Amino acid sequence: MKKEILIPRKTIRARVKELADKISSDYAGKEPVLIGILNGVVVFFSDLVMEMNIPSKIDFIRAASYGSSTTTRGSIKLNKDVEIPIQGKEVIIVEDIVDTGLTLNYIVKRLEKRGPKSIRICALIDKSERRDEEVKIDYRGFHVKEGFLVGYGLDHDEEYRCLSDIYVLR
Ligand code: PRP
């Protein structure tokens, strides 16, 4: 498979800064808990929190979704849960890519049971082509209709995660 650049690092950096500024202004005077969905989110998550200028807490959750091919997917299974208490807290779930929407909805439902004050969603990429379940993305980096994306945390069989740009595999 060949990879073609889709979103260059400069564009990503500028957009992440805009998202961080918006979150910082919306949550001014508050201390949100940012929860990243592992593993793909780590690169975006780190860049995002370092651009924010309000105090925040961070934690991670891991739900396996895709299988090892670009077209099949397994069922959702939780491999690592959030550890810090979120009851009464302002939660922002951070995701690298929303595809079918199943992972995010599963995690939102799980976290809602713990009584957070609010839950919002920040996703770098909203990929709409295969959306099965509606997801309300409050902070969206980029909309991409289709394609298998890699780089900037996104993988194909665990490859390509450490690239600084986002590519589409052909
Ligand atoms: C990817 C991505 C999202 C999820 C989106 O994670 O990071 O968490 O799939 O897909 P969905 O909207 O169809 O549920 P993946 O399970 O591939 O794990 P990874 O983050 O470790 O790559």
Side-chain angles (χ1 to χ4, degrees), residues 10-161:
K10 267 179 102 173
T11 310
I12 299 170
R13 196 173 303 140
R15 188 71 187 121
V16 171
K17 171 90 170 70
E18 285 174 359
L19 292 174
D21 286 348
K22 179 81 174 95
I23 293 171
S24 299
S25 113
D26 289 355
Y27 288 82
K30 299 174 180 167
E31 189 180 27
V33 180
L34 274 71
I35 298 177
I37 306 180
L38 295 170
N39 290 347
V41 82
V42 291
V43 180
F44 169 50
F45 193 93
S46 307
D47 284 352
L48 183 75
V49 296
M50 284 190 288
E51 292 288 358
M52 284 172 54
N53 55 26
I54 54 165
S56 58
K57 295 205 164 79
I58 65 169
D59 203 350
F60 297 92
I61 192 166
R62 169 116 175 99
S65 59
Y66 285 78
S68 60
S69 99
T70 53
T71 51
T72 59
R73 53 173 296 126
S75 56
I76 298 173
K77 187 176 152 234
L78 201 77
N79 289 339
K80 185 225 169 290
D81 207 346
V82 169
E83 290 165 57
I84 62 177
I86 59 164
Q87 188 174 14
K89 304 284 185 196
E90 318 259 11
V91 168
I92 305 172
I93 301 175
V94 184
E95 177 65 292
D96 49 354
I97 186 166
V98 184
D99 190 2
T100 64
L102 299 180
T103 304
L104 209 38
N105 278 345
Y106 171 84
I107 286 171
V108 168
K109 276 186 203 126
R110 250 192 107 88
L111 297 183
E112 271 172 349
K113 289 184 188 146
R114 297 187 200 170
K117 189 171 178 191
S118 65
I119 297 185
R120 282 190 185 163
I121 291 167
C122 172
L124 181 68
I125 295 163
D126 176 7
K127 200 177 90 168
S128 56
E129 183 191 37
R130 301 199 311 153
R131 189 65 40 86
D132 280 345
E133 293 185 3
E134 200 183 317
V135 178
K136 184 179 174 294
I137 302 173
D138 302 282
Y139 304 99
R140 176 171 85 163
F142 301 97
H143 174 247
V144 176
K145 189 164 172 274
E146 59 195 355
F148 197 95
L149 309 188
V150 297
Y152 200 69
L154 300 165
D155 77 309
H156 176 248
D157 276 351
E158 298 304 327
E159 279 191 72
Y160 309 113
R161 286 199 200 273

